[in-house]
PDB file of all heavy atoms in Angstrom:
ATOM      1  N   SER N 657     -12.492   0.737 -14.660  1.00  0.00           N
ATOM      2  CA  SER N 657     -12.495   1.232 -13.284  1.00  0.00           C
ATOM      3  C   SER N 657     -13.887   1.407 -12.717  1.00  0.00           C
ATOM      4  O   SER N 657     -14.065   1.447 -11.499  1.00  0.00           O
ATOM      5  CB  SER N 657     -11.736   2.561 -13.206  1.00  0.00           C
ATOM      6  OG  SER N 657     -12.237   3.486 -14.148  1.00  0.00           O
ATOM      7  N   CYS N 658     -14.905   1.499 -13.582  1.00  0.00           N
ATOM      8  CA  CYS N 658     -16.287   1.645 -13.120  1.00  0.00           C
ATOM      9  C   CYS N 658     -17.153   0.602 -13.813  1.00  0.00           C
ATOM     10  O   CYS N 658     -18.003   0.940 -14.650  1.00  0.00           O
ATOM     11  CB  CYS N 658     -16.814   3.044 -13.415  1.00  0.00           C
ATOM     12  SG  CYS N 658     -15.928   4.379 -12.597  1.00  0.00           S
ATOM     13  N   PRO N 659     -16.996  -0.678 -13.522  1.00  0.00           N
ATOM     14  CA  PRO N 659     -17.724  -1.710 -14.268  1.00  0.00           C
ATOM     15  C   PRO N 659     -19.223  -1.647 -14.087  1.00  0.00           C
ATOM     16  O   PRO N 659     -19.976  -1.949 -15.011  1.00  0.00           O
ATOM     17  CB  PRO N 659     -17.162  -3.021 -13.708  1.00  0.00           C
ATOM     18  CG  PRO N 659     -16.604  -2.673 -12.379  1.00  0.00           C
ATOM     19  CD  PRO N 659     -16.099  -1.272 -12.511  1.00  0.00           C
ATOM     20  N   ASP N 660     -19.692  -1.234 -12.911  1.00  0.00           N
ATOM     21  CA  ASP N 660     -21.126  -1.174 -12.700  1.00  0.00           C
ATOM     22  C   ASP N 660     -21.764   0.049 -13.341  1.00  0.00           C
ATOM     23  O   ASP N 660     -22.979   0.129 -13.449  1.00  0.00           O
ATOM     24  CB  ASP N 660     -21.459  -1.209 -11.210  1.00  0.00           C
ATOM     25  CG  ASP N 660     -20.550  -0.339 -10.368  1.00  0.00           C
ATOM     26  OD1 ASP N 660     -19.671   0.327 -10.935  1.00  0.00           O
ATOM     27  OD2 ASP N 660     -20.709  -0.338  -9.132  1.00  0.00           O
ATOM     28  N   ALA N 661     -20.942   0.997 -13.798  1.00  0.00           N
ATOM     29  CA  ALA N 661     -21.464   2.172 -14.490  1.00  0.00           C
ATOM     30  C   ALA N 661     -21.293   2.053 -16.002  1.00  0.00           C
ATOM     31  O   ALA N 661     -21.744   2.903 -16.752  1.00  0.00           O
ATOM     32  CB  ALA N 661     -20.765   3.433 -14.003  1.00  0.00           C
ATOM     33  N   SER N 662     -20.627   0.987 -16.444  1.00  0.00           N
ATOM     34  CA  SER N 662     -20.334   0.825 -17.866  1.00  0.00           C
ATOM     35  C   SER N 662     -21.563   0.350 -18.612  1.00  0.00           C
ATOM     36  O   SER N 662     -22.303  -0.520 -18.146  1.00  0.00           O
ATOM     37  CB  SER N 662     -19.194  -0.198 -18.055  1.00  0.00           C
ATOM     38  OG  SER N 662     -19.027  -0.490 -19.420  1.00  0.00           O
ATOM     39  N   SER N 663     -21.781   0.914 -19.759  1.00  0.00           N
ATOM     40  CA  SER N 663     -22.903   0.487 -20.601  1.00  0.00           C
ATOM     41  C   SER N 663     -22.444  -0.481 -21.678  1.00  0.00           C
ATOM     42  O   SER N 663     -23.220  -0.934 -22.499  1.00  0.00           O
ATOM     43  CB  SER N 663     -23.573   1.703 -21.277  1.00  0.00           C
ATOM     44  OG  SER N 663     -22.624   2.398 -22.075  1.00  0.00           O
ATOM     45  N   GLY N 664     -21.157  -0.819 -21.661  1.00  0.00           N
ATOM     46  CA  GLY N 664     -20.619  -1.714 -22.676  1.00  0.00           C
ATOM     47  C   GLY N 664     -20.934  -3.160 -22.384  1.00  0.00           C
ATOM     48  O   GLY N 664     -21.525  -3.517 -21.368  1.00  0.00           O
ATOM     49  N   ALA N 665     -20.515  -4.030 -23.292  1.00  0.00           N
ATOM     50  CA  ALA N 665     -20.728  -5.452 -23.123  1.00  0.00           C
ATOM     51  C   ALA N 665     -19.890  -5.972 -21.969  1.00  0.00           C
ATOM     52  O   ALA N 665     -18.884  -5.385 -21.589  1.00  0.00           O
ATOM     53  CB  ALA N 665     -20.360  -6.186 -24.416  1.00  0.00           C
TER      54      ALA N 665
END
Side-chain angles (χ1 to χ4, degrees):
S657 53
C658 298
D660 42 2
S662 172
S663 59

